Amino acid sequence: ARETRAWPGRQSLWSPGRSRAPRAQQHPHIAIAVFRAPLISSTPENHESDPVRTTTSASPTTMRSAILLQFCGTAMAFMRPSALSPARRLAARSPAMASSSRLAALSSSAPAAAPVSEDALEPVPSTFPQCIAAAQKSTGAAIDEGYKLMEIEFPPLPTDFMESPECSAYDVSSANVRLAIDFAKSFATEGKRVAIMFPDRAESDRAIETHGADEPFTNIILRPLAGPAPGTTSSPVDIVMGLFGKQGGRNVNAVPDADMYICLVFSAQELPDLEALHMADPSKPLVMMNLKLDTLRGDLGLPAFPPKDLQYRFLSQVLPVYYLRTRTYSKSITKPPFLVNYQGALFRAFPGGWQSMLDVGGGKYRRVKLADERPALGVFKVDLGEALDLGDEGKVNTFFRQGYKTSTWWEDAKEEELHSIWRS
């Protein structure tokens, strides 16, 4: 299976930019190549009313290219080493989650499960203020139900700037800080003291310099989470060990007078610090904002990165309270125009369910599936492709297009993980 970046002449508000500090690199490890795509259009006149945007060329060269790419993608899938075996089996295991339920009109063969209430569904936002307001509402609802570990994920910058050469990781990081402050204001005005945490002092100092103070708004403070123990400095040994995922000599600094934490710009190597913070202060809500955990999970288990056990014991507890990710795909067909470009969004606002949305043009989306359980990204792609209703392509063609696997190791590891909250 493959994805391409094909949206000619589009200008959009949303784009899933990088959520990491300038010094970090992110490496997604999934069975399909993921490219960034726009979500909500700011220029509806550039959209066609037809929900399926297609190419206009139907030359033999296009046909040969499409067929060649199909076979190349399948060959790469077979050559990819398996990532299914866990790092180690944990002694305690939680029961596997039940299969996700479908809408009643689509799920005559699905396991019996309580349907998701239509009244609890939030619409896909069209502006950043709408996005922040919905995230605040969802987070407040999760806190009221007793959840302590939460995830918020949405694009931090407009597409036109994200795609420009002037956009840097520093710009994305600065945008995330501004959004985090706006998000925290709702809780700060209620009298709660919110600590926005950065992975180290260098990151927090940069944010403090940008906003002019370590308390940019009443009851909102900017703090570093980890660093050398008080009265010490990082030794050369600590620096070298840090390159191999061993954060020796780091001291996790909880904020005693904080009522909740918002964590920004953490890399995969720094995720164990978040676990240490939660263990040191387990009674306070901890929100991981725009960390792109789906990307960071792919790095776990690699050399110089934390082990996969971190997903099984810690990240599996993180509830996605607000999640908005977009994808753009291409599908080869056997009749003109031979290549169909389409895109959609995976959207969830707690306590609502997971909505698979197909872009139908003009900044509008059509829900093609509603599920109680978080769908795998490969399943999400299949759902969008089926919603195009381009006819049955046959089992052989479907296999060559999708490959033999549509999920990642952390999506398959139901027996190894200690919690299933991250799927709910």
Side-chain angles (χ1 to χ4, degrees), residues 10 47-54 340-344 358-362 364-366 368 384 387-390:
R10 297 200 55 174
H47 291 272
E48 301 176 8
S49 58
D50 191 341
V52 179
R53 299 184 187 88
T54 61
V340 177
N341 301 318
Y342 62 101
Q343 66 180 27
L358 178 66
D359 186 351
V360 297
K364 298 180 180 180
Y365 288 81
R366 175 169 65 90
V368 300
L384 292 186
L388 296 176
D389 195 19
L390 297 177

Side-chain angles (χ1 to χ4, degrees), residues 194-359:
V194 183
I196 299 178
M197 308 299 289
F198 298 87
D200 50 41
R201 185 167 296 280
E203 298 287 351
S204 64
D205 287 347
R206 183 182 295 110
I208 292 172
E209 181 181 358
T210 301
H211 294 275
D214 61 354
E215 188 170 349
F217 189 82
T218 304
N219 287 333
I220 300 177
I221 55 177
L222 310 179
R223 293 288 186 271
L225 174 58
T232 65
T233 58
S234 297
S235 66
V237 175
D238 293 337
I239 296 175
V240 173
M241 293 300 291
L243 297 176
F244 293 93
K246 306 295 184 180
Q247 303 292 348
R250 290 170 65 88
N251 180 56
V252 176
N253 306 310
V255 182
D257 60 341
D259 296 309
M260 67 179 295
Y261 298 102
I262 300 175
C263 300
L264 297 177
V265 298
F266 282 76
S267 68
Q269 289 180 322
E270 293 156 341
L271 289 178
D273 293 338
L274 297 181
E275 183 183 24
L277 174 63
H278 176 62
M279 295 177 64
D281 213 349
S283 62
K284 298 175 182 177
L286 190 154
V287 179
M288 304 178 192
M289 187 169 182
N290 288 350
L291 297 189
K292 296 199 178 299
L293 291 183
D294 283 343
T295 300
L296 301 187
R297 286 184 174 102
D299 290 332
L300 301 180
L302 297 176
F305 288 91
K308 294 181 179 180
D309 288 349
L310 186 67
Q311 160 66 18
Y312 303 148
R313 68 174 185 266
F314 175 62
L315 294 181
S316 60
Q317 304 179 58
V318 180
L319 175 71
V321 294
Y322 193 81
Y323 187 95
L324 178 61
R325 294 292 298 272
T326 61
R327 292 290 186 269
T328 294
Y329 304 104
S330 289
K331 182 176 181 179
S332 300
I333 57 179
T334 58
K335 55 186 178 182
F338 303 109
L339 190 65
V340 177
N341 301 318
Y342 62 101
Q343 66 180 27
L346 181 59
F347 179 60
R348 193 273 175 99
F350 183 85
W354 292 85
Q355 304 180 63
S356 297
M357 313 291 287
L358 178 66
D359 186 351

Side-chain angles (χ1 to χ4, degrees), residues 64-77:
R64 290 194 296 269
S65 300
I67 295 172
L68 178 61
L69 287 173
Q70 284 187 2
F71 280 93
C72 289
T74 305
M76 292 177 65

Side-chain angles (χ1 to χ4, degrees), residues 156-173:
L157 287 172
T159 298
D160 54 356
F161 181 72
M162 291 287 295
E163 298 300 320
S164 67
E166 292 78 13
C167 181
S168 64
Y170 173 76
D171 296 320
V172 176
S173 175

Side-chain angles (χ1 to χ4, degrees), residues 2-274:
R2 63 188 178 86
E3 306 177 25
T4 60
R5 197 175 194 168
W7 57 92
R10 297 200 55 174
Q11 297 292 329
S12 334
L13 174 62
W14 299 112
S15 175
R18 298 166 59 90
S19 62
R20 184 57 198 108
R23 69 184 191 285
Q25 298 292 330
Q26 299 180 351
H27 307 284
H29 298 277
I30 58 179
I32 56 178
V34 177
F35 294 83
R36 303 309 191 239
L39 174 59
I40 299 175
S41 171
S42 58
T43 56
E45 64 274 11
N46 290 339
H47 291 272
E48 301 176 8
S49 58
D50 191 341
V52 179
R53 299 184 187 88
T54 61
T55 59
T56 58
S57 173
S59 65
T61 302
T62 303
M63 296 178 59
R64 290 194 296 269
S65 300
I67 295 172
L68 178 61
L69 287 173
Q70 284 187 2
F71 280 93
C72 289
T74 305
M76 292 177 65
F78 277 109
M79 291 188 293
R80 186 180 303 276
S82 174
L84 294 178
S85 56
R88 63 183 177 89
R89 298 277 180 169
L90 299 180
R93 294 186 175 119
S94 63
M97 288 289 290
S99 299
S100 61
S101 62
R102 295 177 178 265
L103 287 172
L106 303 175
S107 62
S108 58
S109 62
V116 179
S117 173
E118 296 282 345
D119 297 334
L121 298 178
E122 287 280 343
V124 178
S126 58
T127 65
F128 284 109
Q130 290 177 2
C131 190
I132 291 294
Q136 291 168 340
K137 178 181 177 181
S138 298
T139 303
I143 293 175
D144 291 341
E145 293 193 15
Y147 290 99
K148 301 301 180 183
L149 294 172
M150 290 158 283
E151 173 191 7
I152 294 175
E153 187 67 50
F154 62 87
L157 287 172
T159 298
D160 54 356
F161 181 72
M162 291 287 295
E163 298 300 320
S164 67
E166 292 78 13
C167 181
S168 64
Y170 173 76
D171 296 320
V172 176
S173 175
S174 299
N176 278 321
V177 176
R178 293 193 299 270
L179 292 170
I181 294 174
D182 291 339
F183 170 80
K185 288 179 180 179
S186 173
F187 302 94
T189 53
E190 297 175 355
K192 296 181 180 179
R193 191 160 179 81
V194 183
I196 299 178
M197 308 299 289
F198 298 87
D200 50 41
R201 185 167 296 280
E203 298 287 351
S204 64
D205 287 347
R206 183 182 295 110
I208 292 172
E209 181 181 358
T210 301
H211 294 275
D214 61 354
E215 188 170 349
F217 189 82
T218 304
N219 287 333
I220 300 177
I221 55 177
L222 310 179
R223 293 288 186 271
L225 174 58
T232 65
T233 58
S234 297
S235 66
V237 175
D238 293 337
I239 296 175
V240 173
M241 293 300 291
L243 297 176
F244 293 93
K246 306 295 184 180
Q247 303 292 348
R250 290 170 65 88
N251 180 56
V252 176
N253 306 310
V255 182
D257 60 341
D259 296 309
M260 67 179 295
Y261 298 102
I262 300 175
C263 300
L264 297 177
V265 298
F266 282 76
S267 68
Q269 289 180 322
E270 293 156 341
L271 289 178
D273 293 338
L274 297 181

